[in-house]
Amino acid sequence: MTTPPSVAARPLPVGTVAPEFELRDQNNRRVSLSSLREKGDVLIVFFPLAFTGTCEGELGHIRDHLPQFDDDSLTTVAVSVGPPPTHKVWSAAQGYLFPILSDFWPHGDVARAYGVLDDERGFANRGTFLVSRDGLIEYSAMVGPGEARTTETWDAALASRA
């Protein structure tokens, strides 16, 4: 049985200006959306929590297909409310070579800004956003806890690149 997303959670629609953020990655380095956009498009993948099977599977898909998700004009980042030390241990154990960003404090502010925070549970739903170099959301989708993104979701997000 899947749990539906929080009623209040509504992902930002395509065509919206992506909210700027600056978060710390698993190595405690600051990463901002604007700096990522200097390279090109940015795929932002919100996930609920580290060390969970569905999240490991989804981020494992990115890891196993990294050339599709990280090239000269695309950067993929994953975002969770977990703290950087947790993300460091988890990403090292799983071999994730892409940034895992911490939306820990203020708790869930970036997920909230993108409309994917589940306020009742205190973590993000599985939001997927493709942000173009000019800062517009080109792809937007969300599934709730217990639901995994499908291959079709990944394909559609990557195909939305202009």
Side-chain angles (χ1 to χ4, degrees):
M1 180 175 181
T2 59
T3 306
S6 169
V7 174
R10 297 204 192 290
L12 293 176
V14 169
T16 303
V17 174
E20 176 59 34
F21 60 77
E22 183 178 279
L23 299 171
R24 293 196 179 268
D25 71 6
Q26 68 265 41
N27 297 308
N28 211 33
R29 292 181 297 223
R30 292 181 184 274
V31 176
S32 68
L33 179 59
S34 58
S35 67
L36 294 170
R37 286 183 23 238
E38 289 175 7
K39 176 182 173 183
D41 298 336
V42 181
L43 183 64
I44 304 170
V45 177
F46 288 92
F47 67 97
L49 298 167
F51 295 101
T52 61
T54 302
C55 296
E56 284 183 12
E58 288 184 330
L59 298 190
H61 178 84
I62 295 170
R63 176 199 60 218
D64 296 345
H65 300 90
L66 197 55
Q68 293 176 307
F69 291 92
D70 189 356
D71 61 29
D72 291 340
S73 62
L74 175 67
T75 301
T76 296
V77 297
V79 181
S80 169
V81 296
T86 299
H87 291 161
K88 184 169 184 74
V89 171
W90 189 52
S91 64
Q94 296 298 318
Y96 302 144
L97 302 177
F98 48 90
I100 311 288
L101 305 180
S102 174
D103 192 13
F104 185 72
W105 197 257
H107 190 80
D109 269 7
V110 175
R112 186 175 290 109
Y114 279 78
V116 298
L117 185 68
D118 184 329
D119 281 309
E120 293 176 16
R121 292 180 180 89
F123 52 73
N125 289 296
R126 297 176 198 287
T128 308
F129 299 90
L130 191 284
V131 178
S132 67
R133 175 175 255 162
D134 64 3
L136 293 179
I137 294 174
E138 300 292 335
Y139 179 83
S140 172
M142 181 182 76
V143 296
E147 292 181 75
R149 280 170 265 246
T150 63
T151 302
E152 290 78 22
T153 300
W154 299 124
D155 292 346
L158 295 174
S160 69
R161 297 176 65 198

